[in-house]
Amino acid sequence: MTYVKGSYVYIKRGDGLVLTAGRVQRRRPDGRYKVRKAGSNQVVTVAPGRLEQHPQTEWGQFREGEQ
């Protein structure tokens, strides 16, 4: 799956468990993504296989029907 700049994503560990959430900054030429972690200014480089689409479109918002 390809993620566009600004997409909200989950960052998963190697075993598939979700580590944290973040927002895509850019896609590198080697296919990996620069992702800014939620709640911090830390930017990490993540392989596409360790990302998963996040249901939210904005931090602090709930999906419709959740609260």
Side-chain angles (χ1 to χ4, degrees):
M1 179 172 190
T2 303
Y3 301 95
V4 296
K5 181 178 180 178
S7 295
Y8 290 83
V9 293
Y10 288 118
I11 302 170
K12 299 187 294 185
R13 299 190 322 189
D15 59 6
L17 294 176
V18 172
L19 182 63
T20 187
R23 191 169 184 189
V24 173
Q25 295 295 299
R26 70 181 185 92
R27 186 171 189 262
R28 293 167 36 119
D30 63 5
R32 296 185 296 171
Y33 290 88
K34 291 276 194 176
V35 180
R36 183 175 304 275
K37 287 184 173 182
S40 76
N41 284 329
Q42 185 180 13
V43 176
V44 294
T45 302
V46 185
R50 293 184 50 192
L51 294 175
E52 182 179 311
Q53 187 67 47
H54 194 291
Q56 292 178 195
T57 56
E58 197 174 312
W59 296 134
Q61 299 292 318
F62 288 99
R63 273 193 294 181
E64 199 170 314
E66 280 187 4
Q67 290 195 3

